[in-house]
Amino acid sequence: MVYSASYPIGIIKYQDPTYFFSKQLRWFLIGSIVFIINSILPYRLYGKLSPLFVMLSIMLLLLVLIPGIGVERNNSQRWIQLGIFVIQPSEAVKLLMAIYFAYIYAKKQTYLHDFNRGVLPPLFVLGSVFLLVLKQPDLGTATSILLTCGIILLCSGVRKIHLFILGSSALVGVSFFAITAPYRLRRLMSFLNPFDDPLGDGYQLIQSFYAIESGGVLGRGLGNSIQKLGYLPEAHTDFIMAVILEELGIFGLLFVTILYLFIMLRGVSTARKHTNAFPKLLAIGLTFQIMIQVIFNLGAVSGLLPITGITLPFISYGGSSLVFMLFSAGILVNLSSSEKVTTGRSPH
């Protein structure tokens, strides 16, 4: 699908129809090695390294904002140039924060009832990461990190009153940042009624609607999308599902949805079978990290949620996203294969 959705823009921009496909293939090969390694390494190692992961996360997010190091695209500074590779640190931070939160709240099980001692300290780290990602600016990714960590917190056994306070505060904070920035407010308004500005902020969503409507039930056939021929922006990245629907129809959507549901059910099942708090919370965090991105992306493509710029896991073009999704998948496979030998010993 990356090849099908990207070959027109590959020809126009680079005179090479396989330009994006070839780059994605290289990232897939790197990601596959990462997947295999993480499916074998002891998952407890990640918990022990989680403090280092936090420092690494903050360092990467700070580097992105430094002129000359951070790479700017489409009015956003979210990438770092490393030789021939351009990486998006926030993709790594999503994973690293999930590991950190799973480990730290597994350690705090005996005093989670104490808000100041058990719940509050890691939230300062989360708040710092949220603000650094927001500075790029990338409210969608910042919100997805917040939600993933929130789900880990929810499953850790924190008192309901504390969850209510934190959830309410997070909702107010995200809403404030969403409506106080003019371009974010325009995105929100265009999501509610894209036809008010069909050649401006509503253009991308309208073209997505055309692609979905054109595909119907059976689709136009693999490779036969019209919208990818310069009409639909980001057809191979954020809006690749619109191309899938146009070419493969509703059955394409059903096939992809079933695959994601399998990941979710298997991840939740893995978490339930572990007795140790760390692998349980880690499985939950990584599973819903994937599913939150799926919901954000499909919601944006269908007009049910604002456009956030979040890619479709494992499918959209994007090397950083693919590699770190395969990193997460490798850990999930590791947790799944070790669920039968888990003991009730403390994670630390």
Side-chain angles (χ1 to χ4, degrees):
M1 288 313 305
V2 166
Y3 173 74
S4 179
S6 69
Y7 74 79
I9 192 172
I11 293 173
I12 293 169
K13 284 192 171 183
Y14 304 100
Q15 295 75 52
D16 181 3
T18 66
Y19 177 82
F20 294 99
F21 172 79
S22 299
K23 291 184 71 174
Q24 191 74 346
L25 182 60
R26 288 197 293 271
W27 282 114
F28 173 73
L29 294 174
I30 294 170
S32 297
I33 295 170
V34 171
F35 172 85
I36 293 170
I37 291 172
N38 282 286
S39 65
I40 298 171
L41 283 177
Y43 64 80
R44 292 180 181 84
L45 178 64
Y46 300 109
K48 294 176 182 178
L49 293 175
S50 61
L52 179 62
F53 289 158
V54 171
M55 291 187 288
L56 180 62
S57 297
I58 293 174
M59 183 183 72
L60 288 172
L61 293 176
L62 288 171
L63 286 174
V64 169
L65 301 176
I66 298 175
I69 298 178
V71 177
E72 184 174 338
R73 295 177 179 175
N74 299 325
N75 300 316
S76 298
Q77 195 160 322
R78 305 175 184 174
W79 297 269
I80 294 176
Q81 182 85 42
L82 295 176
I84 62 172
F85 296 108
V86 177
I87 66 167
Q88 188 173 354
S90 59
E91 293 294 337
V93 172
K94 292 177 190 176
L95 170 64
L96 300 181
M97 285 302 294
I99 294 172
Y100 169 68
F101 257 59
Y103 182 73
I104 201 70
Y105 283 110
K107 287 184 67 175
K108 291 175 177 287
Q109 288 292 296
T110 56
Y111 49 95
L112 277 179
H113 61 281
D114 186 336
F115 184 80
N116 291 332
R117 183 184 173 209
V119 179
L120 191 58
L123 300 182
F124 289 111
V125 176
L126 177 59
S128 301
V129 168
F130 179 87
L131 292 173
L132 286 171
V133 175
L134 190 68
K135 186 69 175 174
Q136 295 179 2
D138 191 354
L139 180 61
T141 297
T143 303
S144 72
I145 293 171
L146 198 65
L147 287 172
T148 299
C149 293
I151 289 173
I152 293 172
L153 195 59
L154 173 66
C155 297
S156 67
V158 172
R159 293 174 60 188
K160 292 180 181 178
I161 184 63
H162 294 161
L163 285 172
F164 176 77
I165 294 170
L166 292 172
S168 301
S169 302
L171 181 60
V172 170
V174 171
S175 300
F176 171 79
F177 288 117
I179 64 177
T180 52
Y183 84 95
R184 293 192 193 111
L185 186 58
R186 288 198 305 271
R187 277 191 174 186
L188 283 173
M189 299 308 293
S190 66
F191 139 72
L192 294 172
N193 194 351
F195 293 95
D196 282 348
D197 188 11
L199 298 179
D201 290 314
Y203 177 80
Q204 189 174 27
L205 184 54
I206 291 172
Q207 299 307 312
S208 179
F209 288 162
Y210 288 156
I212 294 170
E213 186 276 335
S214 175
V217 176
L218 299 177
R220 301 176 62 90
L222 186 61
N224 293 328
S225 166
I226 300 298
Q227 292 305 116
K228 70 186 180 187
L229 303 177
Y231 298 103
L232 176 63
E234 309 298 337
H236 58 303
T237 56
D238 306 351
F239 277 72
I240 196 168
M241 180 50 75
V243 178
I244 292 174
L245 278 160
E246 187 180 4
E247 295 189 349
L248 304 179
I250 296 299
F251 289 104
L253 173 64
L254 287 174
F255 178 71
V256 172
T257 302
I258 288 169
L259 294 178
Y260 284 129
L261 287 175
F262 173 79
I263 292 174
M264 185 182 73
L265 293 174
R266 195 70 191 90
V268 172
S269 173
T270 296
R272 292 182 63 184
K273 291 178 181 178
H274 274 285
T275 56
N276 192 331
F278 174 55
K280 182 185 291 290
L281 293 176
L282 185 58
I284 285 290
L286 296 182
T287 299
F288 282 94
Q289 174 199 46
I290 296 169
M291 296 312 300
I292 286 167
Q293 288 192 220
V294 171
I295 292 169
F296 275 24
N297 183 273
L298 296 185
V301 169
S302 61
L304 296 175
L305 292 173
I307 296 172
T308 57
I310 287 181
T311 55
L312 189 62
F314 304 109
I315 299 177
S316 290
Y317 172 81
S320 300
S321 174
L322 182 61
V323 168
F324 286 106
M325 278 293 147
L326 287 170
F327 196 123
S328 298
I331 297 176
L332 281 172
V333 168
N334 191 325
L335 292 169
S336 177
S337 63
S338 63
E339 65 191 16
K340 294 179 181 179
V341 295
T342 305
T343 69
R345 291 177 297 176
S346 168
H348 54 93

